[in-house]
Amino acid sequence: MKATVFASTLATSLAISTAALAADEAPGGDAGTLNKDKAGEAFKKRPYSPYADRSFPARPFFGDTHLHTGFSMDAGAFGCRLNPRDAYRFARGEQIIASSGQPAKLSRPLDFLVVADHSDNMGFFPDLFAGKPEVLSPPMGRKWYDMIQAGKGGEAALDIIGQFSQGTFPKELMYMPGTRAYRGAWQETVAAAEHYNDPGRFTAFIGYEWTSLDKGNNLHRNVVFRDNADKAMQVEPFTCYPPLGSTNPIELWKWMDAYEKKTGGSVLALAHNGNLSNGTMFPITEAFGKAIDREYVEARAKWERLYEATQMKGDGESHPFLSPNDEFADYELWDKGNLDGSEAKKKEMLEFEYTRSALKNGLKLEAKLGTNPYKFGLVGSSDAHTGIASFEEDNFFGKTTPQEPSAHRMTAAFMDNPKTGVKIMDWEVVSSGYAAVWAQENTRASIFDAMYRKETYATTGSRMTVRFFGGWDFEAADANSREPAVIGYSKGVPMGGDLYEAPAGKSPSFLVGAMKDPLSGNLDRIQVIKGWLDAKGDVQEKVYDVAWSGDRKPGADAKVPSVGSTVDVANATWSNTIGAPELITVWKDPEFDAKQRAFYYVRVIEIPTPRWTAYDAKRFGVKPLPGTRMTTTERAYTSPIWFNPAK
């Protein structure tokens, strides 16, 4: 009875209100009478300037979330003498002298940088190089020092890394949290970030790399602080050696939780490119001897907001074995073994190392456990161990100091493990990549918050601009706007967002657009990659060409033909006479099922351009080894947009 009376009263009130408004009057109240004129004064129209009062991110900020300096023991052993302050100076656009003695400068400054030196033994190598008595007194410390002085720093580095990865590093030489030496290295790391942080112009994040190695399998995570020194200095980095540390990421997440509770601050983690983890980066059944359960998936989803999809040690988006119908999956692969080459790669490991397969398996885990642990955004970064965040193809300063520009770096071996046959050449090192972040301003808080909400994308070294929005009401005319973000944010969600509960009869539509890097190649195409969980509980994927340059027509297989190439390898040049400076479209999923979990992300591919190896061959007059890749197709990968059948 009450419901009926309420409904009747509501209907009557609405009728009265409609009649009153029609007469240009509104019912009176405590505040007086509301009419159209007064209402118009209360709700101002948008300003004439389309850029005024803008409340959404208007530009991407480009940076590196994974750079090492001489404070990392392996970087130092390889000859890096640059420290965190040098790294920030270079990233801000200053010219510096590399450890190899060469002047180095970026074509354009970066917007932000995380110096992510290794957590374990942070600051050890500068002390070893300086010959401090406490480092030289143990026999192994003296041995490594003598090797370095004899010009065998590379051999010393491999021995150091090998012993650390296999758990045989001398305990008496470990720089552990709580010691004066370790505390000093962390204090200087934080002080350098504080000194060079310039809100509004350049962001220097405080961070480190948690260096978990499980018998050579790479499970590293980069830890980034939103906070300043007052909070970051209340702790020291979490390490891997017991009893203070652990190689289990669950323990890292506990450390992160304790940090936030202790300081009131904020921190997030980015999993390292997983292609050297030998199938352990993205487990689906168990990790470290324990079954994947609700606690694991919830903690991983909470703390690991982003994933490093591409870097110098190979691209990690997908693999031809996993995506045989994707002609662009065979890109800069490192699929021979784990980090130290102690175990060769097996095909069955690949599924648990690559971005796309992790995103798909995350849907399965969500259906089973209620949370998707692999619901991460995407970034690229370098993992350079030189202190130099320079990965433009014509300005590439290598992975380590011995790989800085020289006539021999194209023909040397990066890794050669005779016991397993795992061998990687220096020419296989990739000049990659960038973390692109859609933030409102260049500050720690704004960029961190954008990373936390996953409004990010990865590039392999180009600074192309990429937009990606998903919703239910985008239409073809929206792609004609010169302000697509206004439409995108008003009608949908950006990359990293979620769509829920499809309206009856509707399929999700996506507004996607990209503009070229002014210093790089034109754009070949934009693709949408979809992954979904079908009715049988199996994961599926499909790659759609949605926008492309020129008048090419898709073939019977729905694939757009090759854009061709203008690269002159011998002269390391190309012309932008093919491709397009920008591409934009609205695409609607033609095979949508409102009952099935799904994700969508965008891949933008440039036309072929010279690879760093082509520039080196031209500059140094070096003949490449057979099989050396001499061209590249730079690309970007956006964070996904997820569809969830029920909120």
Side-chain angles (χ1 to χ4, degrees):
M1 178 64 70
K2 289 183 179 180
T4 303
V5 172
F6 175 75
S8 176
T9 304
L10 178 61
T12 303
S13 298
L14 287 173
I16 295 173
S17 298
T18 302
L21 288 173
D24 202 24
E25 294 182 359
D30 290 346
T33 300
L34 180 67
N35 55 37
K36 287 185 178 180
D37 291 338
K38 290 182 178 180
E41 292 176 4
F43 296 92
K44 300 292 186 182
K45 295 181 179 179
R46 284 182 53 82
Y48 174 82
S49 171
Y51 313 109
D53 298 334
R54 191 178 254 178
S55 60
F56 57 78
R59 57 160 289 194
F61 294 96
F62 290 93
D64 187 355
T65 61
H66 191 176
L67 181 71
H68 295 273
T69 75
F71 275 35
S72 291
M73 66 176 182
D74 53 353
F78 270 103
C80 179
R81 301 294 174 259
L82 301 184
N83 59 44
R85 293 176 187 264
D86 299 319
Y88 287 122
R89 287 175 48 228
F90 179 81
R92 296 201 319 170
E94 295 183 37
Q95 180 168 310
I96 66 170
I97 301 300
S99 298
S100 58
Q102 305 177 69
K105 187 176 182 179
L106 286 169
S107 66
R108 295 159 288 179
L110 297 184
D111 297 307
F112 66 92
L113 175 67
V114 183
V115 169
D117 279 315
H118 290 303
S119 58
D120 288 72
N121 268 2
M122 183 182 291
F124 163 77
F125 196 82
D127 288 353
L128 174 65
F129 184 74
K132 290 191 175 181
E134 61 269 27
V135 178
L136 300 187
S137 57
M140 191 58 70
R142 168 60 69 176
K143 175 186 174 182
W144 287 333
Y145 178 78
D146 290 343
M147 290 174 69
I148 293 166
Q149 295 303 308
K152 298 180 180 180
E155 294 178 29
L158 292 175
D159 193 23
I160 290 170
I161 296 169
Q163 291 203 37
F164 177 77
S165 64
Q166 297 302 319
T168 59
F169 193 91
K171 292 182 179 179
E172 62 270 23
L173 286 174
M174 288 291 293
Y175 274 35
M176 303 290 285
T179 64
R180 177 177 296 181
Y182 192 91
R183 183 72 172 177
W186 179 237
Q187 285 177 332
E188 174 54 21
T189 298
V190 173
E194 292 291 88
H195 181 79
Y196 287 99
N197 190 51
D198 187 5
R201 301 185 62 174
F202 178 80
T203 294
F205 279 104
I206 298 168
Y208 68 91
E209 183 174 19
W210 176 68
T211 319
S212 174
L213 278 176
D214 183 21
K215 297 189 181 303
N217 298 332
N218 189 332
L219 294 173
H220 298 183
R221 268 76 167 176
N222 296 320
V223 178
V224 183
F225 293 78
R226 187 182 191 269
D227 311 307
N228 302 329
D230 59 333
K231 294 180 179 178
M233 280 307 303
Q234 294 182 42
V235 298
E236 293 175 0
F238 186 64
T239 55
C240 299
Y241 264 68
L244 299 177
S246 171
T247 58
N248 190 333
I250 291 177
E251 300 304 318
L252 172 67
W253 305 332
K254 291 179 180 178
W255 179 93
M256 296 169 71
D257 183 58
Y259 167 79
E260 291 198 348
K261 289 177 178 177
K262 177 179 181 178
T263 67
S266 297
V267 66
L268 60 77
L270 300 83
H272 184 294
N273 186 7
N275 59 346
L276 299 181
S277 72
N278 271 13
T280 59
M281 180 56 80
F282 299 116
I284 61 172
T285 56
E286 68 172 42
F288 289 85
K290 183 180 179 182
I292 300 297
D293 55 15
R294 186 179 297 274
E295 180 184 9
Y296 179 94
V297 297
E298 289 178 352
R300 185 155 184 168
K302 177 179 180 180
W303 298 111
E304 297 192 3
R305 308 292 295 180
L306 300 175
Y307 176 60
E308 184 182 87
T310 186
Q311 60 133 285
M312 289 185 179
K313 296 199 300 294
D315 191 77
E317 187 229 353
S318 194
H319 190 283
F321 178 76
L322 304 171
S323 303
N325 297 320
D326 182 356
E327 67 271 34
F328 290 98
D330 187 13
Y331 180 75
E332 298 288 3
L333 301 176
W334 278 38
D335 56 0
K336 300 178 182 180
N338 55 0
L339 182 62
D340 60 2
S342 59
E343 183 183 13
K345 189 76 67 186
K346 299 175 183 177
K347 294 290 187 182
E348 57 267 25
M349 297 174 177
L350 296 172
E351 178 184 349
F352 311 105
E353 298 182 352
Y354 283 83
T355 304
R356 194 183 305 173
S357 56
L359 292 170
K360 291 192 297 183
N361 284 334
L363 300 178
K364 294 175 68 174
L365 288 170
E366 183 178 29
K368 177 183 178 181
L369 298 172
T371 299
N372 183 348
Y374 307 134
K375 195 174 182 179
F376 45 68
L378 301 184
V379 296
S381 283
S382 71
D383 198 8
H385 281 56
T386 59
I388 297 177
S390 179
F391 21 90
E392 299 158 307
E393 301 293 339
D394 65 346
N395 192 32
F396 182 46
F397 268 73
K399 167 75 175 172
T400 65
T401 295
Q403 296 164 321
E404 291 180 4
S406 70
H408 66 268
R409 70 172 173 173
M410 273 212 307
T411 57
F414 176 81
M415 177 192 300
D416 188 0
N417 192 321
K419 294 181 180 179
T420 59
V422 175
K423 186 175 183 179
I424 299 173
M425 301 301 294
D426 274 353
W427 69 258
E428 295 181 85
V429 174
V430 189
S431 183
S432 183
Y434 280 123
V437 180
W438 285 102
Q440 290 176 278
E441 57 184 2
N442 193 347
T443 62
R444 283 176 178 166
S446 186
I447 294 177
F448 182 97
D449 291 348
M451 290 194 292
Y452 191 85
R453 67 176 182 266
K454 310 167 192 173
E455 199 168 353
T456 63
Y457 60 98
T459 86
T460 58
S462 170
R463 301 195 197 187
M464 64 180 84
T465 301
V466 184
R467 283 289 200 185
F468 179 40
F469 297 95
W472 305 106
D473 299 308
F474 290 113
E475 52 192 35
D478 293 335
N480 297 328
S481 171
R482 297 308 300 173
E483 288 293 321
V486 175
I487 297 172
Y489 285 108
S490 63
K491 284 188 174 183
V493 298
M495 59 184 77
D498 289 274
L499 298 175
Y500 295 97
E501 299 176 344
K506 286 196 172 186
S507 298
S509 53
F510 300 90
L511 177 60
V512 294
M515 291 193 299
K516 74 180 294 291
D517 179 339
L519 300 185
S520 193
N522 278 341
L523 306 180
D524 169 8
R525 68 188 70 196
I526 297 177
Q527 299 176 309
V528 172
I529 289 86
K530 177 187 178 183
W532 71 97
L533 188 66
D534 67 19
K536 297 179 180 180
D538 297 325
V539 288
Q540 308 291 343
E541 68 172 65
K542 190 167 184 178
V543 179
Y544 297 89
D545 290 320
V546 301
W548 54 89
S549 62
D551 56 1
R552 293 173 286 166
K553 304 295 183 183
D557 59 358
K559 294 181 182 295
V560 174
S562 170
V563 72
S565 178
T566 65
V567 177
D568 178 350
V569 172
N571 292 300
T573 60
W574 87 99
S575 63
N576 274 325
T577 53
I578 58 175
E582 64 178 47
L583 295 170
I584 188 169
T585 193
V586 169
W587 176 79
K588 182 178 289 188
D589 183 357
E591 302 171 274
F592 178 67
D593 187 330
K595 298 178 181 179
Q596 297 176 351
R597 303 174 191 274
F599 64 80
Y600 306 82
Y601 69 91
V602 163
R603 181 171 65 187
V604 184
I605 298 177
E606 290 185 4
I607 66 171
T609 51
R611 195 172 179 268
W612 70 265
T613 45
Y615 288 106
D616 270 26
K618 172 67 175 177
R619 288 171 177 171
F620 297 115
V622 176
K623 184 178 180 180
L625 296 173
T628 301
R629 288 187 294 272
M630 304 299 284
T631 65
T632 186
T633 49
E634 303 282 9
R635 53 196 62 196
Y637 314 121
T638 71
S639 294
I641 292 173
W642 288 268
F643 168 70
N644 307 273
K647 191 169 184 178

